[in-house]
């Protein structure tokens, strides 16, 4: 499967009377944008749209999702499965991505694990999204919506707005086009027979109510492990709908820009042969964990790989899935490297992971999510700061009278992202 990914770097992002893109300056008609958003669902009762830039004294919370605007330049569409009749396979053809910006959703979100993004101050370096020019959508729904409908509405608004935005400027020539290609298994092995065959085990959050990730519009709780071409992620085959702790939640943006996939492609044909991706879920019951990890091991054997990177999403319960995937691959002679984060207590005195195994001897950590930080007051809050006392990482008294917030960094969106998007790590002192 071959994908030509064209990118345009957005250097300036403003509202204007007419939508246009020239010289890296994206001008967006706010009236047309808000009219479009209101057509997405009849239970939307309030829409606020704001463009925020790096360095501004702005706090966004609670954050539902972050999405990079992308669109197909030929047949098909990004984010397949979001609408009926859009079930075509993605990951091939031509795609346009608008880099340096995002569509970011907030509002009175249903979960308690959506997080905080500060665009400046000491909290900004903890989130990769503070470096983007963010189109923030504050969406409120009517009181008739239950929590599941509420989540679905915000998810649809974010995805459809991101696609709509890229569609408005899709005739603009790309600054750069990069081609990514993965061949069927036999041909992929034959391409570089002398290099180590490496695969990627991509764990997706699927632990229960509102802990959802979607693959081609299907709740990942309902799938068994499957093979995926890496380029499918770039076209939005995987989208976020979950409410895991904000620090290690994989947003849709992070799936679109998965750095594990990017790095494996960069090294493909040089010092490794990137064979493909095993997509798997994170389960609640022991029997489901055993079943999924058994199937991951079988698929890895079928792929003929000698090494694998395994990335986790979330913490606690999924640590058992991570370890099962690890030791079952290692038992087959497949060397593994694990990507995770830690919940080691505020002073680092607690056990970092809820499960462990001797075969997990190559682990990369994205940092300790229990680290405490005080975020100063901001000139503007988009969303609802009252959730500071109830989001994961917060506590009663987190929100101070002056607007400052004291929380664990697990409340900051992307702070310990387990795909390795961010720069935070941990070491023994």
């Amino acid at each position: 499967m071959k994908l030509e990914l064209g990118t345009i770097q957005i250097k300036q992002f403003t509202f204007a009377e007419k939508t246009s893109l020239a010289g890296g300056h994206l001008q967006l008609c706010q009236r047309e944008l808000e009219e479009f958003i209101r057509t997405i669902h009849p239970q939307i009762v309030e829409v606020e749209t704001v463009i925020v830039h790096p360095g501004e004294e702005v706090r966004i919370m609670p954050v539902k999702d972050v999405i990079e605007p992308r669109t197909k330049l030929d047949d098909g569409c990004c984010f397949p499965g979001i609408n009926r009749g859009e079930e075509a396979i993605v990951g091939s053809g031509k795609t346009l991505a608008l880099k340096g910006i995002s569509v970011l959703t907030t509002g009175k979100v249903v979960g308690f694990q959506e997080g905080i993004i500060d665009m400046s101050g000491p909290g900004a370096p903890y989130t990769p999204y503070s470096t983007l020019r963010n189109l923030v959508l504050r969406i409120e729904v009517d009181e008739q919506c239950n929590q599941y409908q509420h989540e679905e509405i915000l998810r649809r608004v974010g995805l459809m707005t991101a696609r709509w935005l890229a569609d408005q400027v899709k005739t603009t020539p790309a600054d750069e086009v990069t081609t990514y290609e993965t061949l069927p298994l036999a041909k992929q092995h034959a391409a570089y027979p002398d290099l180590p065959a490496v695969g990627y085990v991509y764990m997706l959050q699927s632990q229960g109510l509102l802990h959802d990730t979607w693959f081609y519009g299907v709740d990942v709780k309902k799938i068994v492990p499957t093979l995926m071409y890496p380029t499918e992620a770039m076209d939005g085959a995987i989208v976020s709908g979950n409410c895991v702790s904000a620090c290690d939640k994989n947003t849709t943006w992070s799936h679109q820009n998965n750095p594990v996939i990017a790095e494996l492609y960069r090294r493909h044909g040089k010092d490794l042969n990137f064979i493909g991706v095993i997509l798997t879920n994170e389960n609640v019951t022991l029997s489901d964990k055993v079943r999924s990890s058994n199937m991951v091991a079988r698929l890895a054997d079928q792929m003929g790989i000698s090494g694998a990177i395994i990335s986790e999403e979330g913490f606690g319960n999924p640590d058992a899935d991570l370890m099962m995937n690890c030791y079952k691959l290692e038992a087959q002679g497949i060397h593994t490297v694990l990507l995770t984060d830690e919940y080691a207590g505020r002073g680092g005195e607690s056990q970092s992971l809820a499960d462990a195994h001797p075969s997990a001897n190559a682990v990369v950590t994205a940092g300790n999510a229990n680290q405490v930080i005080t975020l100063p007051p901001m000139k503007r809050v988009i969303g609802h700061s009252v959730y500071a006392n109830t989001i994961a990482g917060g506590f009663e008294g987190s929100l101070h009278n002056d607007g400052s917030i004291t929380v664990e960094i697990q409340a900051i969106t992307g702070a310990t992202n387990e795909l390795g998007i961010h720069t935070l790590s941990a070491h023994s002192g």
Side-chain angles (χ1 to χ4, degrees), residues 168-413:
Q168 305 308 300
V169 295
K170 65 189 302 181
T171 59
T172 307
D175 297 331
E176 183 178 4
V177 177
T178 305
T179 300
Y180 300 91
E181 184 174 19
T182 298
L183 302 171
L185 289 178
K187 293 182 179 179
Q188 192 70 29
H189 277 281
Y192 300 100
D194 298 327
L195 294 178
V198 176
Y200 174 33
V201 179
Y202 198 166
M203 294 173 55
L204 303 177
Q205 178 57 237
S206 57
Q207 278 188 287
L209 299 176
L210 296 176
H211 286 63
D212 305 323
T213 306
W214 302 85
F215 181 56
Y216 283 92
V218 177
D219 188 338
V220 172
K221 286 191 289 291
K222 299 178 181 179
I223 74 168
V224 294
T226 186
L227 297 180
M228 182 187 78
Y229 280 101
T231 53
E232 293 177 74
M234 299 177 186
D235 274 349
I238 307 169
V239 301
S240 175
N242 68 56
C243 303
V244 301
S245 288
C247 64
D248 50 21
K249 169 180 178 173
N250 289 335
T251 65
T252 299
W253 187 97
S254 62
H255 290 302
Q256 294 169 295
N257 293 279
N258 186 313
V260 178
I261 291 174
E263 181 66 9
L264 286 170
Y265 266 128
R266 188 185 70 82
R267 295 174 60 176
H268 176 65
K270 298 175 183 177
D271 58 358
L272 59 84
N273 187 354
F274 182 22
I275 301 300
V277 177
I278 300 172
L279 207 64
T280 187
N281 46 18
E282 298 172 350
N283 299 285
V284 176
T285 69
L286 178 59
S287 60
D288 287 333
K289 292 177 185 294
V290 170
R291 177 188 303 109
S292 284
S293 56
N294 283 344
M295 296 189 74
V296 166
R298 177 177 62 78
L299 288 170
D301 180 63
Q302 181 180 346
M303 291 173 70
I305 57 177
S306 57
I309 296 173
I310 308 175
S311 66
E312 183 181 12
E313 182 176 13
F315 70 100
N317 188 296
D319 293 346
D321 302 79
L322 179 69
M323 292 301 156
M324 285 187 182
N325 288 328
C326 171
Y327 74 70
K328 290 178 182 179
L329 266 62
E330 289 278 351
Q332 295 180 171
I334 300 171
H335 301 294
T336 63
V337 174
L338 310 185
L339 301 180
T340 183
D341 61 356
E342 303 177 47
Y343 285 75
R346 295 180 179 180
E349 70 283 353
S350 300
Q351 179 175 318
S352 295
L353 301 176
D355 197 8
H357 194 273
S359 62
N361 56 13
V363 181
V364 178
T365 174
N368 178 19
N370 294 134
Q371 178 185 337
V372 176
I373 187 172
T374 295
L375 306 173
M378 291 283 158
K379 288 183 178 179
R380 182 175 187 182
V381 176
I382 305 173
H384 307 277
S385 59
V386 67
Y387 290 108
N389 293 336
T390 55
I391 59 175
F395 44 85
E396 191 62 36
S398 281
L399 179 62
H400 306 303
N401 291 335
D402 65 352
S404 62
I405 299 173
T406 300
V407 288
E408 295 179 354
I409 63 170
Q410 70 169 301
I412 299 177
T413 304

Side-chain angles (χ1 to χ4, degrees), residues 157-173:
V157 167
L159 296 172
M160 293 191 68
T161 300
R163 194 166 75 182
W164 177 86
L165 179 54
D167 279 342
Q168 305 308 300
V169 295
K170 65 189 302 181
T171 59
T172 307

